[in-house]
Amino acid sequence: MHTRDALKLGETPQRIFLLNAWKEANLFTPEEKAILALTEEVTLIHQHGVSDATYQQAAQFFSPETIAEIIISVVAINAWNRIAVSTNLPID
């Protein structure tokens, strides 16, 4: 669903396919990499929390308010994903 929507909005297949390799790929801007790092650490918060380095990287590009909005968005998406998985919601 999200891939189809992203493609409709102009995202390239190449960037979508390389999303799992965002750290190594040169197709993402420093701002996008900061968001992806923050997203990854919030999603995997049980491993080691959000590192100071990741937060400071995001702070280079975004205000504290925007960082809070990013974190809230990640938490909401993770919640919806967990609900979908827990209830065996069919994926389109």
Side-chain angles (χ1 to χ4, degrees):
M1 175 181 89
H2 298 295
T3 300
R4 281 193 311 261
D5 291 344
L7 290 168
K8 285 180 190 175
L9 293 171
E11 189 54 79
T12 67
Q14 185 180 23
R15 281 172 42 101
I16 291 171
F17 295 141
L18 285 174
L19 198 52
N20 287 339
W22 66 266
K23 291 177 188 173
E24 296 83 20
N26 62 358
L27 297 176
F28 300 97
T29 67
E31 293 90 344
E32 289 170 330
K33 286 186 174 190
I35 291 173
L36 289 166
L38 188 58
T39 299
E40 197 168 88
E41 289 190 11
V42 170
T43 298
L44 302 173
I45 198 114
H46 65 283
Q47 290 183 355
H48 59 76
V50 174
S51 70
D52 290 339
T54 295
Y55 191 91
Q56 291 307 316
Q57 180 184 16
Q60 291 178 10
F61 302 106
F62 308 106
S63 70
E65 294 80 14
T66 300
I67 293 172
E69 291 171 354
I70 293 166
I71 292 170
I72 290 168
S73 296
V74 172
V75 169
I77 291 166
N78 278 311
W80 284 114
N81 286 338
R82 283 165 174 73
I83 291 167
V85 170
S86 299
T87 60
N88 293 315
L89 187 68
I91 299 173
D92 289 337

